[in-house]
Amino acid sequence: VLLSTQVGEFLDIGEATADVLQDLRKKRDVVDAKRKHVESLVLASRKESRACRALKAKRKEVDFLSEKEEITHGEDELKASDRLFFARKKEKDAMRELENDQIALRTGLERARQAMRHQ
């Protein structure tokens, strides 16, 4: 009787141990699944981070090129403005020269008239 009681206890302990092992395996499987999920999230986060850094680099490049284009455009406007200034200056100089020629012509005509009158 004692022996069968001890065998029964061992069987009960064995069954309890098997149940505990089965629970541990289930928990291990859950932990493994969560670990795999976290690893996939980490990989996705790293990929997103690389993409974000690449986007920031492109944005800096675009800003630089845009700024360079603005500078070039500004330089072109300045050159055009300078050309316009010098063209207007030449025009004013030519107008002044024309006015001086007209004054000289009038003066010459007036002197010629006076000379003709005195003769």
Side-chain angles (χ1 to χ4, degrees):
V1 175
L2 186 59
L3 186 59
S4 77
T5 306
Q6 286 179 341
V7 169
E9 287 177 10
F10 281 125
L11 288 176
D12 290 341
I13 291 172
E15 287 176 16
T17 303
D19 289 342
V20 168
L21 285 174
Q22 188 175 1
D23 285 344
L24 288 173
R25 285 186 189 113
K26 286 179 183 177
K27 288 179 182 178
R28 183 193 64 204
D29 292 343
V30 169
V31 168
D32 284 345
K34 287 182 179 180
R35 181 183 48 78
K36 287 179 182 177
H37 180 67
V38 167
E39 286 174 351
S40 70
L41 290 176
V42 167
L43 290 175
S45 173
R46 287 179 183 163
K47 186 177 181 181
E48 187 73 24
S49 180
R50 282 192 300 271
C52 186
R53 281 194 305 273
L55 182 62
K56 284 180 182 178
K58 279 290 184 192
R59 194 172 290 145
K60 280 184 179 180
E61 182 181 345
V62 166
D63 289 347
F64 172 76
L65 292 174
S66 175
E67 185 176 311
K68 186 177 177 183
E69 180 64 29
E70 286 175 12
I71 290 171
T72 303
H73 184 66
E75 288 173 348
D76 291 345
E77 285 180 353
L78 187 59
K79 288 176 186 174
S81 175
D82 287 348
R83 285 193 301 270
L84 181 62
F85 171 78
F86 287 116
R88 285 183 178 164
K89 187 174 185 308
K90 284 181 182 179
E91 181 183 350
K92 285 180 183 178
D93 291 344
M95 290 295 286
R96 203 172 294 121
E97 190 176 319
L98 180 62
E99 287 173 3
N100 289 339
D101 288 346
Q102 286 177 343
I103 291 170
L105 183 60
R106 281 189 212 133
T107 305
L109 284 173
E110 191 61 36
R111 285 184 188 156
R113 282 186 194 147
Q114 287 176 0
M116 287 176 73
R117 281 186 203 153
H118 290 297
Q119 289 182 350

